[in-house]
Amino acid sequence: MNRVPSTQEVLGIYLSCLEPTSAYNLPTLIPLDGYDEKEVKAALEKVAAAHPHLKAIFEMEDGVLYEKEGNDPLVFEAKECAKLDKASLIRPFVLLGKPLYRFEYLKTKEGNYLFSDFHHMLMDGFSLTLFYKEFALALEGKELSKEECSAFEVAKKQQEDRSSKAYEEQKKYYEDTFGGVDAESLPTQDKDEGKLSYARFDMPLKEWGDKEVSAFLKKEGIRRSSFFLAASSLTLGLYSFADEASFAFVDNGRKQESKNAYGMFVRTLPFYVNHFEEGEVSAFLKSVNDARNAVVERPLYSFLDLASNTAFHPEILISYQGDYYYQTTLNGKEVEVELLPVKDGKEKITFEIFRRNGSYFVRAEYRADLYEEDSIRHLISSLDHLGKELLTKKKLEDIEPASKEDLALLDSYNDHDLSDYDFARDFVDDIRDAIKKNPDRLAVVCNDKQITYKELGELSDRIADYLLAKKLPKQSVVSILVGRDIAMGYAPVGVLKAGLAYQPLDPSYPDERRSFMMEDASAKLLICQRGLETRISSYKGPILFLDEVPSLPLLHLEQPKADPHDLYIMLYTSGSTGKPKGVQLEHHNISAFVQWQRKTLPIKDGEAFFAYASFGFDANMYDLYGALTNGNTLYVIPEEMRLDLPRLNKYLEEHNVQHGLMTTQVGRQFAESEDNHSLASLIVGGEKLVPVMPPKNYTLYNGYGPTECTIIISYYPVKELCYRVPIGKALPITHTFILDKKMRRLPYGAPGFLFASGHQVGRGSLPQRRHLGFHRPQRRAGEDPRVPYRDQRSRARHPRISGRERRDRPSLPRADGRHVHRGLRGLFFQARPQ
């Protein structure tokens, strides 16, 4: 036959191979004991005579790829090998003008083998099945029938049909259906090593077998491949936090006349399905089956056409391959054909699903420079589980995303020994004890002003007596407006000693914001520096000026004992999405946190903290109470020094400061630019931490915590340069859960909303008085369980969930039986197992 233009499928593979790669090789190895090299060569020549496409030669002319029959004798080589080096057998092919097959008869001490390798332009996987079946027959001396319709004839027919009206109709269908699809169904990658590499492994599907699937398919009237597309859609939707999925799948592309031909017939096809959150499972399966059939039945417009004309470029491939085909029978015995691993691959993730002996398994091929093997295995585990759910559930909304094994693993993250925590202990008593034990130690320092613990005790007692004399109701709110000053230390303590709660106000806030906050909190009194009262123009209530505190009488009134669930602080969110929201925290929240802080850093006697955060920012409590509850010194960083990092570093070293918290971006810059020798720990929080080299002399922690959850609920020690810096494992005093939009628990690796329960979770936001926050969030990595951010994506605000809907949901375990909080500012991953 004269040369013919190659099919679009072959052309697509050729274009993918323009960069050096062996990804499209099909290298196999089979033992051939009992057959000498002459018998093997004669059998191969029989096969080639029956299938002329085996020796096809490809040529490129004027931008068109052609193929033609090769007339040269079969290339066959016999070698003696001292040792079988499988990796060295696989070599790239010269794609044009040379044969795209390789046969080598290998003689080794262990035995004799046939090594064969075919390029995918020449053969597909089903052709390989036919090859080994016919090769075995030829070895037995049997004649082979010549194929009825060759790949050359199929290519010629496709070229003619692509000029027909049918092609234009199919083009319109594909571009209308997939042209506007921008769904990204790839799981978020774990890393980026910078050097392309692939890995591969096989993993069985254990939760169901062919018996269950066959009965189910018969009942539903759908194809087997459609069932796997449906299970894959649910899995990928779950791992991309979407109710839609897009990926590519393959069809063998063969018709009746070409069913026994050698060649590359496999078609890569686009797949997209959406709205599979609710409804009947049978209806969903039918929609998947229809979507599959729609593209399979339109063969003229190729995947290459679609990729060239639209933005639809899925990087995950799902392939149902049917019965396990890498085997043959020689001398009446089944012989395993070994498919040798290649160094490169095709897509970022490829799942080939096989059936063998009534069971199924997945051959996973993936970008090892982007994904950990553990992540891919958990993805397959979810495919296994969701396939079982499809087989057993009638409604999509009844499908559980996480298996029992997933839930047991995730529950283990929240299994902590808290026997050495005293949750009835009040942190104000810790401050009282520190005052008694260290009366002469510096408590708070700011510029040239400083107070000892004895002085802090007296000043705070004077404020407490003043407030107690006013007989304000317990848990009333007192606002404190103060700049960078030692009063940041003693004024809140005075309010707390009186059994009241304080509301920290920062002078940098706009007047309107401060006024709203005081009014919203029903503040009973204002404590402020003289001159700052003019910055709250609408407030007309009583004011205690800080310069009056030293002269207040010491009445020695009895200070009330705080209940663990008494309000101690009213904090307000930034209000960037509307009015600021008042967050109520209770005594046990901060008491539990400082106990964790004391155990974890650890905080040693005589060490010092620095207060970098603004007084009105929840992070201020990290330094304030980390110092005062342990009898350590708090150095309030002056305003003019906060952005002068060399000066700040010198100050910390001069005063031998060990611990502190900084906002993320400034803290990262400090850790990278300053060589500090006094710090033991530095925690950063408030924003996503981009990759950073860990400092040499102290531990840098990345922390995460919504205002509603008392400073931080997770932390991660940055010990290496991470691709995506995790926010770390949850504190032992907090339980964390990753849920979907329906408040169902998700498996490991799946993104979702972060919920927290436990002793850090506050009472709730003031305006709504609710225990569940429903504010739109946005979305893992090594030696510890971890919960890192996903790259930020723009998503619509999630609708609030009503109380009735919440009552209908399964309840979450709550560490203290009180509150559950939904995390803010991100979609999150499940923690990675230890």
Side-chain angles (χ1 to χ4, degrees), residues 716-744:
Y716 176 76
V718 182
K719 296 182 179 179
E720 61 185 1
L721 184 64
C722 302
Y723 166 69
R724 182 186 294 107
V725 184
I727 63 171
K729 64 179 181 181
L731 275 58
I733 51 177
T734 298
H735 291 179
T736 54
F737 309 89
I738 306 294
L739 308 182
D740 66 6
K741 291 177 287 187
K742 296 180 180 295
M743 295 182 67
R744 299 174 300 187

Side-chain angles (χ1 to χ4, degrees), residues 221-247:
I222 65 169
R223 301 180 66 93
R224 196 176 306 271
S225 58
S226 297
F227 171 76
F228 288 105
L229 291 177
S232 300
S233 297
L234 290 181
T235 305
L236 295 176
L238 186 69
Y239 279 78
S240 57
F241 199 75
D243 58 357
E244 59 186 357
S246 67
F247 51 92

Side-chain angles (χ1 to χ4, degrees), residues 433-507:
D433 288 348
I435 293 170
K436 293 177 182 178
K437 292 177 182 178
N438 309 287
D440 299 323
R441 181 178 290 172
L442 287 176
V444 188
V445 177
C446 184
N447 284 326
D448 56 350
K449 298 166 69 175
Q450 60 186 41
I451 55 171
T452 64
Y453 269 90
K454 180 180 179 181
E455 292 169 326
L456 182 141
E458 291 177 354
L459 290 168
S460 59
D461 281 342
R462 293 178 190 274
I463 293 174
D465 285 346
Y466 173 83
L467 295 172
L468 286 167
K470 289 188 172 293
K471 301 186 182 302
L472 298 175
K474 192 177 181 182
Q475 300 187 69
S476 295
V477 175
V478 173
S479 300
I480 302 175
L481 177 59
V482 63
R484 313 294 293 177
D485 188 81
I486 57 173
M488 290 171 61
Y490 69 80
V493 176
V495 174
L496 294 169
K497 283 182 174 181
L500 306 176
Y502 74 99
Q503 178 188 54
L505 301 175
D506 195 279

Side-chain angles (χ1 to χ4, degrees), residues 526-771:
L526 172 65
I527 300 175
C528 77
Q529 291 172 311
R530 194 172 296 275
L532 294 181
E533 72 278 9
T534 60
R535 301 192 183 185
I536 310 181
S537 57
S538 65
Y539 178 70
K540 306 302 181 184
I543 300 176
L544 172 62
F545 292 105
L546 289 170
D547 59 8
E548 298 174 337
V549 172
S551 60
L552 291 174
L554 275 172
L555 305 176
H556 303 290
L557 299 176
E558 183 181 357
Q559 296 174 359
K561 175 68 176 177
D563 181 87
H565 297 291
D566 281 349
L567 181 70
Y568 93 89
I569 193 170
M570 278 291 303
L571 288 165
Y572 277 74
T573 59
S574 64
S576 58
T577 59
K579 287 185 177 181
K581 179 184 63 175
V583 174
Q584 305 170 99
L585 299 182
E586 302 172 340
H587 277 252
H588 75 105
N589 300 144
I590 188 65
S591 179
F593 180 82
V594 295
Q595 290 183 64
W596 168 83
Q597 192 179 33
R598 187 180 302 134
K599 299 170 189 296
T600 304
L601 287 180
I603 301 172
K604 299 176 182 178
D605 185 58
E607 291 186 330
F609 281 74
F610 69 94
Y612 182 90
S614 301
F615 183 53
F617 184 33
D618 60 345
N620 175 260
M621 297 184 293
Y622 181 92
D623 312 305
L624 176 62
Y625 298 117
L628 299 187
T629 60
N630 292 287
N632 298 95
T633 304
L634 178 68
Y635 288 87
V636 179
I637 303 302
E639 187 64 42
E640 65 275 10
M641 193 186 295
R642 293 177 74 214
L643 296 180
D644 189 345
L645 299 186
R647 185 180 170 190
L648 172 61
N649 185 53
K650 183 178 179 182
Y651 180 86
L652 298 179
E653 291 185 335
E654 286 178 351
H655 294 280
N656 194 30
V657 178
Q658 282 78 28
H659 306 289
L661 184 151
M662 300 175 74
T663 54
T664 301
Q665 298 310 327
V666 176
R668 177 183 182 274
Q669 186 178 350
F670 179 88
E672 287 194 324
S673 63
E674 304 302 322
D675 187 20
N676 183 277
H677 293 83
S678 69
L679 287 173
S681 71
L682 173 64
I683 188 165
V684 297
E687 299 176 85
K688 178 181 176 180
L689 177 62
V690 299
V692 56
M693 285 296 297
K696 297 177 181 178
N697 306 314
Y698 58 91
T699 303
L700 176 68
Y701 294 92
N702 184 31
Y704 168 78
T707 304
E708 295 86 344
C709 294
T710 318
I711 311 175
I712 62 168
I713 60 170
S714 68
Y715 71 105
Y716 176 76
V718 182
K719 296 182 179 179
E720 61 185 1
L721 184 64
C722 302
Y723 166 69
R724 182 186 294 107
V725 184
I727 63 171
K729 64 179 181 181
L731 275 58
I733 51 177
T734 298
H735 291 179
T736 54
F737 309 89
I738 306 294
L739 308 182
D740 66 6
K741 291 177 287 187
K742 296 180 180 295
M743 295 182 67
R744 299 174 300 187
R745 295 179 70 184
L746 294 170
Y748 157 88
F753 299 113
L754 176 66
F755 281 68
S757 71
H759 284 279
Q760 286 183 259
V761 181
R763 185 181 296 178
S765 55
L766 180 63
Q768 292 82 17
R769 303 284 191 195
R770 51 191 168 85
H771 292 170

Side-chain angles (χ1 to χ4, degrees), residues 55-59 66-70 96-100 152:
K55 297 197 292 183
I57 300 296
F58 292 82
E59 300 174 343
Y66 293 93
E67 54 190 85
K68 64 180 183 180
E69 290 186 23
L96 301 178
K98 299 289 184 180
L100 293 184
F152 300 114

